[in-house]
Amino acid sequence: MRKLLIYAEQGFTVIALLIYSGAILTLLLSGGAGQNEVVEYDSLLNRISFFVIYGITLLLLILRWKKTLYVLVLNKDIFLYSLVMLTVVSIIWSFEPSTTLKNSFTLIGSSLFGLYLVSRYSLKEQFYLFAWTFGIVIVLSFIFAIALPKYGIQNDGTGRPLLRGVFTHKNGLGARMVTSSIVFFLLAYQSKRRSWLFWGGFSLSILLLLLAGSTSSLLNLLILILAFFAFQIWRWPYQVTVPTLIMIATISQSLYFWFSNNAGVLLTSLGKDATLTGRTDLWPLVIDMILKHPWLGYGYGGFWQGWDGESAYIWLNAGWTPNHPHNGYLALWLDLGLLGLGLFLLGFWRSYLQGLAWVRSSNTALDIWPLMQMTYIFLASLTESTLLESNSITWILYVAACFSVRMGHERKIKS
């Protein structure tokens, strides 16, 4: 009976991760709508799914209240806790209080799931659950593309078919396959048994990434693989580590300057325009609106309300109708002002430093995961707005990474 309950809980975790990743459900409810199609659909099933997850998560945390309390007290992550609470408090000055109330509630629910992952599973157990989750995504994405092309294939507007798998957009598939690639890569690198299976998952993740045509995700993955080996170097003796990292930093800076001077040519060769698909034209307009309420923002989720909200200025001047600024830092600044952005950056930097200390004292590839995940969030937030997005696996994995490095840091101090 005990084993059955354990398997049931693991099944719940995998299903929840699938739903939080945005896979399957939203795509099916939208009827496989195309990239430029605006469709209305009943999202009741989606909302019910999340409410069920919140309820079960809270119940499981209460049942293990001692472990839950231990993780919460041990972490003492004042910046993370304050950031989540600020989303709730922002109801006071929000331009759309009802949206802020709803979004802050779902953010708390998502954060609790991140807490649940760390308090219930070891890092190794989390990895195997991630592998199951992304394995299901990979298999279903190929099935949707072959058997249900209306759902699995997306037209990019130029007649070129691109794979979106079980997501509503190719960039969604691309983003998830970056995380999937890293999960399978670390498992394959670490494992002595069944490594072929994990290398297979890694290869299929990259294949889906290529078929999705998500250039930014592919670039992020390349940087993350290089970062992994840099973190491995960080474990070497200081007399070797320091000159090696200085050399890597010098080469990276040279590449950055080269890219800055040749960005237009390089982006064109990759099929991208110099404005990053309109992002660089959008950002100055967003900054204009940020400067009107720079300190506290418009409230969590209070800005993007279409023509009826402050976002009307963006829509009118941009010539298109974005629902987010395509930059996580600008999105956070819009919502919670410089106060919210500052809390995130301070918390991020603190957790990153603790992660570096943890990696320095450990010797397994899996221990690098929190740093890899935080590095990915930092990179992805330059062009996407999922930094503080509720009901998002990105935020959940960030919360889990922060808790994990803090616990590892405390164990290092005690030892």
Side-chain angles (χ1 to χ4, degrees), residues 293-350:
H293 299 274
W295 303 110
L296 296 176
Y298 293 82
Y300 185 49
F303 182 81
W304 298 97
Q305 301 298 322
W307 291 110
D308 298 324
E310 298 300 305
S311 54
Y313 169 83
I314 305 288
W315 285 17
L316 185 64
N317 290 277
W320 55 300
T321 55
N323 291 312
H324 55 85
H326 291 276
N327 181 287
Y329 308 105
L330 293 180
L332 181 52
W333 201 347
L334 266 177
D335 279 346
L336 300 176
L338 195 58
L339 176 59
L341 181 61
L343 285 172
F344 171 78
L345 292 176
L346 287 171
F348 181 91
W349 182 241
R350 181 194 186 199

Side-chain angles (χ1 to χ4, degrees), residues 33-303:
Q35 179 177 355
N36 298 316
E37 295 180 48
V38 178
V39 297
E40 294 184 3
Y41 60 89
D42 188 356
S43 60
L44 178 61
L45 182 59
N46 223 347
R47 295 196 301 271
I48 291 175
S49 300
F50 284 119
F51 273 104
V52 170
I53 293 173
Y54 302 153
I56 295 176
T57 301
L58 186 60
L59 176 62
L60 292 172
L61 287 172
I62 292 173
L63 288 174
R64 300 187 183 91
W65 64 271
K66 290 184 179 180
K67 186 64 179 292
T68 302
L69 194 61
Y70 170 76
V71 174
L72 283 171
V73 173
L74 179 66
N75 276 275
K76 299 175 185 176
D77 196 333
I78 187 66
F79 298 115
L80 179 62
Y81 299 158
S82 298
L83 181 61
V84 174
M85 289 308 301
L86 184 62
T87 64
V88 180
V89 176
S90 70
I91 295 172
I92 299 172
W93 63 83
S94 175
F95 280 58
E96 189 61 40
S98 60
T99 301
T100 300
L101 178 62
K102 179 193 71 174
N103 287 0
S104 59
F105 173 79
T106 56
L107 184 72
I108 291 173
S110 305
S111 303
L112 288 177
F113 191 80
L115 169 64
Y116 162 72
L117 281 177
V118 176
S119 63
R120 172 62 180 88
Y121 303 106
S122 67
L123 196 59
K124 185 176 182 180
E125 289 171 334
Q126 290 177 45
F127 257 82
Y128 282 110
L129 292 172
F130 296 156
W132 272 105
T133 301
F134 290 116
I136 292 171
V137 168
I138 289 170
V139 171
L140 289 181
S141 290
F142 280 114
I143 291 175
F144 271 54
I146 296 170
L148 300 167
K150 174 187 175 183
Y151 293 94
I153 301 295
Q154 170 185 322
N155 191 303
D156 68 348
T158 64
R160 183 176 57 148
L162 296 170
L163 198 71
R164 65 179 177 184
V166 290
F167 299 92
T168 56
H169 195 278
K170 68 180 183 67
N171 288 341
L173 176 62
R176 299 299 167 251
M177 285 304 101
V178 173
T179 307
S180 176
S181 298
I182 295 302
V183 166
F184 285 115
F185 175 80
L186 291 176
L187 282 171
Y189 192 92
Q190 176 76 27
S191 302
K192 295 180 180 178
R193 297 174 55 192
R194 296 179 294 182
S195 62
W196 63 270
L197 183 62
F198 300 130
W199 284 121
F202 175 69
S203 301
L204 290 175
S205 298
I206 293 180
L207 177 58
L208 284 174
L209 192 56
L210 293 171
L211 293 174
S214 181
T215 308
S216 58
S217 294
L218 192 60
L219 180 61
N220 287 339
L221 177 60
L222 177 61
I223 294 173
L224 287 173
I225 296 296
L226 295 175
F228 169 78
F229 291 106
F231 293 140
Q232 290 281 50
I233 293 171
W234 177 243
R235 288 171 163 165
W236 295 356
Y238 281 120
Q239 59 267 30
V240 180
T241 299
V242 173
T244 303
L245 290 180
I246 289 175
M247 181 181 68
I248 292 174
T250 303
I251 294 172
S252 299
Q253 188 175 30
S254 300
L255 289 174
Y256 171 77
F257 285 126
W258 176 85
F259 177 79
S260 299
N261 294 326
N262 298 275
V265 176
L266 183 60
L267 289 170
T268 302
S269 67
L270 294 173
K272 300 289 183 179
D273 60 82
T275 67
L276 298 177
T277 322
R279 287 177 174 86
T280 56
D281 293 333
L282 174 65
W283 292 338
L285 299 174
V286 172
I287 292 173
D288 286 343
M289 299 305 291
I290 284 174
L291 295 178
K292 291 185 177 182
H293 299 274
W295 303 110
L296 296 176
Y298 293 82
Y300 185 49
F303 182 81

